Amino acid sequence: MTPQHIELVKSTVPVLRENGVALTQYFYNRMLTNNPDLKNIFNMDHQSSGRQPRALAAAVLAYAENIENPSVLAKAVEHIATKHVSLDIQADQYSIVGENLLHSISEVLNVPFESDLIAAWKEAYLQLADILINAEKAKYDGLATQNGGWAGWRTFEISAIEETAEGKKFTLKPQDGNTIPASEPKYYISVKVQVPNHDIQQPQQFTFAEAQQGNDYQIVVKPEQQKTEFSVANILLDHYNVGDTVQVTAPLIG
Ligand code: HEM
C-alpha cells in the first residue's frame, strides 16, 4: 500500500465506526441476499442478535487503524483464523466478503465505488485477507496431517444421548469408522445440523468439558435460553436421535 492509500483508509475509520450498525447491516443484508448459500455457514442466531456482524466489521476497522503495524493484531488474527477453520471457511470466499464490504463502505461513506478511497480500502482488505488465508492454510494442513485428523467437515453418527446434570451428553462417532485425533478440555469442534422446515444447515461450536481419548467425541448440549428456530443446541435436543448424523470439524483451540 502507498502512504496515500494508508492515509485515506485511516482517515475514514472514525466515520465508519460511528456508522458501524449501518455498515454491518448493509453488508450482511447485501452479502446474504446475493449469496444465500452463505446462510449455511453464518449462524443465523448470531446474525439476528447482531453479534457476529459487529465482530467482522470491527475487526476490519481495527486492522485498518493498525495498518502500518499489523503485528499488533497477531492475537486477533490467530483467534479469527481458528474460528474460520472450525467453520471450514475457504480462501475463495474472501472475495465475496471483500466485494460486499467494499460496496458497503462506499454506501456508508457516500463515495463512488470507482474512487481512490475504495481502491485504498480494497488494498487494505486484500492485505488482511491474505494474512488470514495464510494462517488458515497452515491450520488446515496441520489438522489434515495429525493422526486420525481431517480438514473440513466429516460425517459423525450420534451413538448415544445421556441425561446429565449439566445437559444432554451426545456421543459422536465418525461414520467412516476410522480413528480420530485425541483432544483436551477447552478444545472445540463445530457441529452442523439440518434446520427443520428450512432448506439450510447451521453450525455451532461446542467445547469439550473433558479429555477425549477414544473413538468418539462427547459434547454436553444445554438448551439455549432464547429459543429460535436456528439454535443448534435446541435443534439437537429437540430433533436429533441416536443413529442420526451431523457434520463435524476437527478439534481446535484458540
Ligand atoms: C478479512 C476478512 C474477515 C475478517 C476480518 C473476519 C473476521 C471475523 C471475526 C472477528 C469473527 C468473530 C470471531 C468470534 O466469533 O470470536 C468472524 C467469524 C466468522 N467469520 Fe469471518 N472474517 C473475515 C472473512 C470471512 C469470510 C471470507 C468468511 C466466509 C464467507 C467468514 C465467515 C465467518 C463466519 C461464518 C464466522 C462465525 C460467525 C458466526 O458466529 O456465525 N469470514 N470473522
Side-chain angles (χ1 to χ4, degrees), residues 38 41-43 46-47 51-52 55-56 59-60 79-80 83-84 87 89-90 93-94 97 125 128-129 132:
L38 292 181
I41 52 166
F42 281 96
N43 184 306
H46 295 176
Q47 299 309 304
R51 199 178 93 188
Q52 205 286 330
L56 200 160
V60 172
H79 171 79
I80 298 168
K83 187 77 176 263
H84 282 169
L87 289 160
I89 302 305
Q90 296 296 320
Q93 292 171 323
Y94 276 84
V97 165
Y125 176 80
L128 176 56
L132 285 169

Side-chain angles (χ1 to χ4, degrees), residues 39-40 42-48 191 193-204 224 226-236 239:
K39 289 184 181 168
N40 292 300
F42 281 96
N43 184 306
M44 299 318 276
D45 263 358
H46 295 176
Q47 299 309 304
S48 49
V191 175
V193 299
Q194 185 66 43
V195 179
N197 309 320
H198 288 268
D199 194 17
I200 64 165
Q201 300 185 323
Q202 284 284 273
Q204 188 171 308
E224 277 174 26
Q226 286 204 320
K227 249 186 186 251
T228 84
E229 50 192 336
F230 299 110
S231 151
V232 175
N234 292 337
I235 292 170
L236 279 170
H239 298 278

Side-chain angles (χ1 to χ4, degrees), residues 95-241:
S95 53
I96 301 174
V97 165
E99 199 217 306
N100 286 288
L101 194 64
L102 293 173
H103 274 284
S104 310
I105 291 174
S106 137
E107 186 77 12
V108 169
L109 295 178
N110 203 14
V111 293
F113 192 71
E114 304 296 334
S115 61
D116 281 355
L117 180 60
I118 300 302
W121 268 101
K122 184 172 180 185
E123 292 291 320
Y125 176 80
L126 289 176
Q127 195 169 305
L128 176 56
D130 202 45
I131 293 171
L132 285 169
I133 289 169
N134 285 329
E136 287 159 24
K137 183 175 182 326
K139 287 182 189 294
Y140 284 121
D141 290 349
L143 288 180
T145 50
Q146 66 183 334
N147 189 20
W150 75 102
W153 299 103
R154 183 164 165 185
T155 305
F156 277 62
E157 189 179 307
I158 300 169
S159 59
I161 303 176
E162 297 155 66
E163 292 283 354
T164 73
E166 290 83 38
K168 279 191 186 168
K169 189 192 269 184
F170 281 65
T171 302
L172 307 172
K173 252 181 22 187
Q175 199 178 44
D176 56 27
N178 295 330
T179 54
I180 52 175
S183 195
E184 298 294 327
K186 301 209 173 106
Y187 276 68
Y188 64 81
I189 55 174
S190 292
V191 175
K192 195 159 67 169
V193 299
Q194 185 66 43
V195 179
N197 309 320
H198 288 268
D199 194 17
I200 64 165
Q201 300 185 323
Q202 284 284 273
Q204 188 171 308
Q205 289 73 50
F206 292 91
T207 303
F208 293 137
E210 290 167 358
Q212 309 285 318
Q213 276 154 352
N215 300 321
D216 49 37
Y217 292 141
Q218 296 188 320
I219 53 167
V220 176
V221 182
K222 301 168 199 164
E224 277 174 26
Q225 298 297 330
Q226 286 204 320
K227 249 186 186 251
T228 84
E229 50 192 336
F230 299 110
S231 151
V232 175
N234 292 337
I235 292 170
L236 279 170
L237 293 169
D238 296 343
H239 298 278
Y240 275 69
N241 299 306

